[in-house]
Amino acid sequence: MELIVLPVEAWAERVAGDLVERLRSAPDLRLCLPTGDTPAPVYAALAARLESGEASLERATIVLLDEWVGLGPDDAARCDGRLRRELLERVSPGPAAFHPVRVDELAPEQAAARHDDVAAGGLGLTLLGLGANGHVGFNEPGSTADSPTRVVTLEAGSGDAAVARYGAERVPEAGITLGVARLMASDEIWLLVSGARKAEILDQALRGPVGPDVPASFLRSHPRLRVIADTAAAALVTR
Ligand code: PGA
């Protein structure tokens, strides 16, 4: 595991710069991307770099990490909408393909199965945020290393975040997520962590017991895991 700790002012630019580098060396990269408050500044920095011609998404494929079940297509919290607004609509050309989770057209189980088929085509680089409860994607506590892509019942805190932090019109009770097993099959994983409120859970994820109580702990057995944290998030890990 590679742990990179940066001052908050440099954090998003560093991640964006590293992404540019990857896209330059592998223009047809298959990228799995999360949404949330953590990656938002990374996408802003990445969009600016792509717009200034440092690299392009033209040949890249983007697979969404997860999605809420039960929020309308225009809900402010929708993961596909956020990724479009924060990155995809800000860059031209856009990616060769963008794969949202098909929650509007398909029943949840079918949408999960379809999305798993997409991810089974291979993921070159997966970016993940870290949930305050240790989740990655919507692999909530209780998830195992072999958890498949599936419909999950959300912990109360995860559903509440949709309303309180992402502006959802109502509290979603379920989500669809790429499973831990699918994420672990990615060639490379970058876990992005920022802010003091993630310090305790990051410490548990990286130094506590590996197991379902903190699903992010499973990432430690990935051969190419890079954790990119700001100083506040890394405060306990580097103690
Ligand atoms: P956040 O969410 O980036 O908005 O903190 C992370 C997560 O819950 O996965």
Side-chain angles (χ1 to χ4, degrees):
M1 177 182 81
E2 184 186 4
L3 172 64
I4 299 171
V5 180
L6 297 157
V8 64
E9 317 82 67
W11 179 83
E13 281 297 340
R14 167 64 189 267
V15 180
D18 286 359
L19 277 167
V20 160
E21 211 172 87
R22 282 291 186 285
L23 285 165
R24 287 170 70 100
S25 59
D28 51 3
L29 191 61
R30 285 174 60 90
L31 263 172
C32 173
L33 295 182
T35 53
D37 291 343
T38 305
V42 171
Y43 296 150
L46 178 63
R49 285 169 180 261
L50 295 176
E51 276 306 276
S52 69
E54 290 184 34
S56 172
L57 290 177
E58 192 171 12
R59 289 169 53 192
T61 294
I62 294 177
V63 179
L64 190 61
L65 171 64
D66 54 10
E67 186 59 273
W68 310 102
V69 171
L71 298 184
D74 298 324
D75 193 288
R78 277 280 293 258
C79 301
D80 52 3
R82 277 199 80 159
L83 193 62
R84 286 191 176 100
R85 288 193 303 277
E86 292 174 9
L87 178 64
L88 305 179
E89 289 168 1
R90 293 193 197 178
V91 299
S92 179
F98 169 52
H99 297 283
V101 185
R102 303 278 173 192
V103 284
D104 301 320
E105 302 102 294
L106 300 172
E109 279 74 16
Q110 288 175 307
R114 170 82 68 88
H115 205 58
D116 192 56
D117 286 346
V118 169
L123 298 173
L125 172 60
T126 293
L127 268 55
L128 297 170
L130 175 64
N133 63 359
H135 72 202
V136 283
F138 285 136
N139 291 284
E140 297 280 47
S143 300
T144 50
D146 61 358
S147 285
T149 300
R150 65 207 185 284
V151 182
V152 291
T153 301
L154 300 173
E155 284 205 339
S158 300
D160 291 345
V163 174
R165 295 201 291 122
Y166 310 148
E169 283 172 15
R170 59 197 181 86
V171 178
E173 289 169 7
I176 292 173
T177 186
L178 291 180
V180 178
R182 195 56 85 198
L183 300 176
M184 291 294 283
S186 180
D187 296 340
E188 195 176 357
I189 298 175
W190 295 357
L191 179 65
L192 311 181
V193 199
S194 61
R197 75 183 188 91
K198 300 289 175 67
E200 175 65 41
I201 193 66
L202 181 62
D203 188 41
Q204 285 181 42
L206 301 188
R207 301 200 304 180
V210 172
D213 288 350
V214 181
S217 65
F218 294 122
L219 302 177
R220 278 151 58 186
S221 61
H222 193 281
R224 290 178 72 195
L225 171 67
R226 174 185 283 194
V227 180
I228 313 172
D230 71 5
T231 315
L236 299 180
V237 173
T238 53
R239 175 177 51 178

